Amino acid sequence: ELAAKEALALIGANGVSLGRGALVLNDVADLADAFQVAAALSLEGFAGNLSIIHPGTARLQPQIGLNTAASRLRDLLDGSFLWEPGAARNLQDPLSFRCVPRTHGALYDALAYARSTLEAELNAANDNPLVLVEDEELVSNGNFHGQPLAFALDALAMAVSELASISERRVERLVNPNLSDGLPAFLTADGGLNSGFMIPQYVAAALVSENKVLCHPASVDSIPTSGNKEDFVSMGMAAALKLRTILGHVSAILAIELVAASQAIDLLAPLRTGPLAQRALERVRRMSPALDREG
């Protein structure tokens, strides 16, 4: 049975926002790593220029996330045919490929900010009034306000949505014969009646556009309650709820890039992928076979 104030702890906005936010944060961390895998496969399928992950360029940019992303991409692409002289299609690829360490690194930085905020809240006392046992005082306060959470969750929503938007741009580059530098139209060798990856790109584009609407920050809104005693609220719960919706869209967009990039790699066979990228490709193929004439 619930004791005094336990029900409030379960339904109060700060506690629920924090709980939802912590679960979502874990999912975003997984997605951030999955974005790295998808980008590595897309670089292989597009025959991208790997100068973007040269250790020297990362050292000159002291962003922690950028260096994390570049290091992980080097691991994923170690042993790839793309390291051979002349393997890359372009000296300078489109920004959705060329700026992968920078853009993906920004998500790692946003994750670090959100994680530090949520960890502080998970270890904080947010009740009102607060009982200061050692001081033998009962203190009325505002530690329950969810503004730090709302800011962090809104930032995470924008960061992960932007990564999905860049992911969709890479898919477009792979499927569009005017942009793919030699890959067959819509990644099918049997064009005409077979529309290949045309519709998956539509889906990714639609979800990206929906995310842009959802990314309007909840934390800039407020509405008074409690007879105007609570005259400025954080809207942290709204931030947590819409972030969960955004993550569902982002997961679908990421899945589309993974299967599109895998299809592009198959079309480039027998060119050699890196061992880690090959393992990722095999995982994709266990769930989604290559598109063929009946696909």
Side-chain angles (χ1 to χ4, degrees):
E1 295 183 7
L2 295 175
K5 301 197 79 171
E6 288 183 337
L8 181 61
L10 292 172
I11 65 173
N14 196 73
V16 180
S17 301
L18 178 58
R20 282 185 169 271
L23 293 172
V24 170
L25 182 74
N26 187 64
D27 292 340
V28 174
D30 289 341
L31 284 176
D33 291 337
F35 270 121
Q36 294 284 89
V37 174
L41 293 181
S42 287
L43 281 162
E44 299 254 30
F46 191 70
N49 195 318
L50 297 191
S51 64
I52 62 169
I53 53 176
H54 189 290
T57 62
R59 284 197 302 269
L60 296 175
Q61 185 58 252
Q63 296 283 359
I64 295 173
L66 182 151
N67 282 274
T68 298
S71 175
R72 292 182 180 179
L73 281 170
R74 282 195 294 272
D75 290 341
L76 284 163
L77 292 165
D78 184 45
S80 169
F81 76 97
L82 291 175
W83 292 108
E84 298 171 5
R89 282 198 176 99
N90 303 299
L91 176 63
Q92 292 192 347
D93 289 324
L95 299 188
S96 54
F97 289 86
R98 196 182 348 152
C99 299
V100 166
R102 178 78 163 174
T103 55
H104 287 212
L107 176 57
Y108 282 120
D109 289 334
L111 260 171
Y113 157 57
R115 182 179 288 111
S116 66
T117 300
L118 267 69
E119 286 179 351
E121 290 293 314
L122 284 167
N123 289 284
N126 300 117
D127 200 5
N128 180 48
L130 280 173
V131 180
L132 306 182
V133 177
E134 292 181 0
D135 299 328
E136 297 185 348
E137 287 187 76
L138 192 66
V139 181
S140 180
N141 73 98
N143 281 6
F144 55 84
H145 203 283
Q147 203 71 62
L149 287 172
F151 285 161
L153 296 175
D154 277 340
L156 211 52
M158 289 186 283
V160 76
S161 293
E162 187 69 358
L163 263 287
S165 182
I166 297 166
S167 170
E168 184 276 328
R169 288 293 81 197
R170 289 194 293 266
V171 171
E172 169 66 3
R173 286 278 171 175
L174 292 171
V175 305
N176 188 330
N178 297 316
L179 302 173
S180 64
D181 291 337
L183 288 169
F186 305 110
L187 298 177
T188 174
D190 182 36
L193 292 178
N194 190 337
S195 61
F197 278 78
M198 180 189 295
I199 300 304
Q201 189 272 325
Y202 284 9
V203 174
L207 293 174
V208 164
S209 290
E210 188 171 344
N211 279 350
K212 291 174 183 177
V213 175
L214 291 169
C215 272
H216 177 79
S219 55
V220 301
D221 191 18
S222 180
I223 190 165
T225 56
S226 190
N228 215 39
K229 178 65 72 174
E230 297 177 1
D231 58 343
F232 192 85
V233 295
S234 71
M235 307 301 287
M237 189 60 180
L241 290 172
K242 68 185 182 67
L243 177 53
R244 169 55 64 192
T245 301
I246 287 169
L247 283 193
H249 297 167
V250 169
S251 297
I253 295 164
L254 186 57
I256 290 168
E257 183 181 7
L258 284 165
V259 294
S262 298
Q263 181 76 7
I265 291 171
D266 286 345
L267 291 168
L268 292 178
L271 292 175
R272 185 184 73 256
T273 61
L276 290 181
Q278 182 61 35
R279 283 173 55 190
L281 178 61
E282 291 168 359
R283 287 285 299 273
V284 171
R285 285 288 169 251
R286 287 204 291 271
M287 294 178 282
S288 176
L291 184 68
D292 55 23
R293 291 178 183 271
E294 289 75 37

